[in-house]
Amino acid sequence: MNLSAIKDSRSHRTRDVIVRAAEQLFAEQGIEAVSINTITRAAGQNNRNAVQYHFGNKAGLLQAIFDKHGPGVAARRAKLVDQMLSEDISPPRLIASAIVNPLLEKMEDEDGGEAFIHISAELITSNTLGYAVPERNTIQLAREGKLAHYAANELTHLPKEVALQRILLVNVLGFHALSDHARVRKNAEFDSMARNTAFMASNLIDSMAAILETTPSTATLDMLTH
């Protein structure tokens, strides 16, 4: 291995160590509460400028976390959409299942998966809205092309404005519910059903499907015409 390759390998290892330290700190304490210096110390870096050198700032570090986890989640969702299209499943339930199931899998990923859920829950509103105006969003997210296209084509019983906001609502519900559950299931003070991940996930999908399939009220529809 030549000197350049050795340096590249060392740089990748340093980046990975910093990302893992940041994931855990952001998940445990919240993004705003964690300083760059705290991350540097937790990552065991003697160079005080290590985070700035590799990531620029906290936003760059968050981007690295989403780059680590986001593409896999998006790819898994696209695969699930293809699989479920051959099943007798309503569009709202298909969409809800495609949102939730890859996150359940990610929650079991020991390489920062649960931390990714917590971080996403904290940022989910701005991130989801950022799909509409990516140029204004600090974090660039993996695109959900297949799922978004399917939702746009299938939620035709809803006015466009209602459908877009309900997609935001189910994403917010999904990430926050899973983030909360990840902590609840480790706490023996809660009863067994509260800690049962399969039950919680099934109920979550039921709830999200209900949000997507419910006919808008007259009050909601009136607001679209005034």
Side-chain angles (χ1 to χ4, degrees), residues 6-51:
I6 292 172
K7 288 181 178 179
D8 285 345
S9 177
R10 186 179 301 147
S11 177
H12 284 304
R13 287 198 302 270
T14 299
R15 285 176 59 90
D16 288 346
V17 168
I18 292 171
V19 167
R20 289 190 181 102
E23 285 172 338
Q24 291 308 123
L25 288 167
F26 288 153
E28 293 168 1
Q29 301 178 27
I31 294 165
E32 292 301 321
V34 179
S35 69
I36 294 296
N37 287 339
T38 301
I39 296 169
T40 304
R41 290 194 299 271
Q45 300 300 304
N46 294 323
N47 181 355
R48 293 172 56 189
N49 296 318
V51 173

Side-chain angles (χ1 to χ4, degrees), residues 6-202:
I6 292 172
K7 288 181 178 179
D8 285 345
S9 177
R10 186 179 301 147
S11 177
H12 284 304
R13 287 198 302 270
T14 299
R15 285 176 59 90
D16 288 346
V17 168
I18 292 171
V19 167
R20 289 190 181 102
E23 285 172 338
Q24 291 308 123
L25 288 167
F26 288 153
E28 293 168 1
Q29 301 178 27
I31 294 165
E32 292 301 321
V34 179
S35 69
I36 294 296
N37 287 339
T38 301
I39 296 169
T40 304
R41 290 194 299 271
Q45 300 300 304
N46 294 323
N47 181 355
R48 293 172 56 189
N49 296 318
V51 173
Q52 288 89 335
Y53 174 78
H54 288 283
F55 303 100
N57 51 30
K58 190 182 289 188
L61 189 46
L62 284 166
Q63 183 66 60
I65 292 170
F66 279 88
D67 288 345
K68 174 182 174 181
H69 298 283
V73 171
R76 182 67 177 134
R77 283 177 172 164
K79 186 174 181 179
L80 282 173
V81 170
D82 285 339
Q83 290 175 352
M84 289 187 289
L85 283 174
S86 63
E87 301 174 12
D88 183 19
I89 181 172
S90 70
R93 181 164 291 276
L94 187 153
I95 294 166
S97 299
I99 290 172
V100 171
N101 287 329
L103 298 181
L104 285 172
E105 296 168 3
K106 179 55 66 174
M107 203 159 65
E108 304 303 330
D109 176 5
E110 294 182 358
D111 187 15
E114 183 179 315
F116 169 71
I117 300 294
H118 295 312
I119 294 165
S120 296
E122 183 173 348
L123 297 176
I124 185 60
T125 301
S126 59
N127 281 352
T128 304
L129 289 172
Y131 279 123
V133 282
E135 68 279 1
R136 299 183 191 174
N137 203 34
T138 302
I139 299 171
Q140 298 303 302
L141 303 169
R143 304 301 295 177
E144 302 277 3
K146 182 162 288 186
L147 181 57
H149 182 72
Y150 177 83
N153 286 338
E154 296 297 331
L155 298 180
T156 53
H157 62 292
L158 300 173
K160 179 180 178 180
E161 297 86 350
V162 173
L164 287 173
Q165 190 161 80
R166 289 197 185 178
I167 289 293
L168 169 61
L169 290 172
V170 296
N171 273 286
V172 170
L173 174 59
F175 273 104
H176 278 282
L178 290 168
S179 177
D180 289 346
H181 179 73
R183 294 186 169 100
V184 166
R185 69 178 182 168
K186 298 174 184 176
N187 190 335
E189 293 183 2
F190 289 93
D191 66 51
S192 60
M193 291 309 293
R195 292 184 284 114
N196 186 312
T197 299
F199 174 74
M200 178 270 172
S202 182

